[in-house]
Amino acid sequence: MNKRLALFSCLLLLSAFPLAACSKATNSPSNGSEGSSGKKVTLNVALWDENVSEVMKKSIEIYKKDHPNVDVKVTYTPGRIIGAS
């Protein structure tokens, strides 16, 4: 059960990457070049289960192939998983 929850959490988190990386800045002009400036962007991701670290590393590597200007910093915060006994 814990592995399923960890996998689901990882997939849910990864689904947020495209939304965060492709969102339009509020102070940038709308000239059709959003996201192509090449400016370095850092995403900070907080996880509580280090059991998903290998999956997360592979997912980040795949993501960075398409988004080389994005740096992903992962912070693991140990904690109890809700519903785990």
Side-chain angles (χ1 to χ4, degrees):
M1 181 68 174
N2 287 339
K3 288 184 181 184
R4 285 185 185 178
L5 182 60
L7 180 59
F8 175 75
S9 298
C10 185
L11 292 174
L12 182 64
L13 178 65
L14 290 176
S15 68
F17 282 144
L19 297 175
C22 298
S23 64
K24 181 178 173 185
T26 57
N27 61 354
S28 66
S30 181
N31 60 6
S33 64
E34 295 90 9
S36 63
S37 67
K39 185 191 265 188
K40 193 75 171 165
V41 176
T42 301
L43 297 177
N44 292 302
V45 179
L47 298 174
W48 60 90
D49 186 1
E50 287 192 73
N51 293 324
V52 298
S53 63
E54 287 304 313
V55 172
M56 182 58 70
K57 285 179 187 177
K58 289 178 182 177
S59 299
I60 291 170
E61 287 174 15
I62 292 168
Y63 180 80
K64 288 183 74 167
K65 285 180 184 177
D66 291 333
H67 306 88
N69 62 320
V70 178
D71 184 36
V72 181
K73 292 186 178 184
V74 180
T75 303
Y76 290 99
T77 305
R80 203 179 119 189
I81 297 175
I82 298 172
S85 45

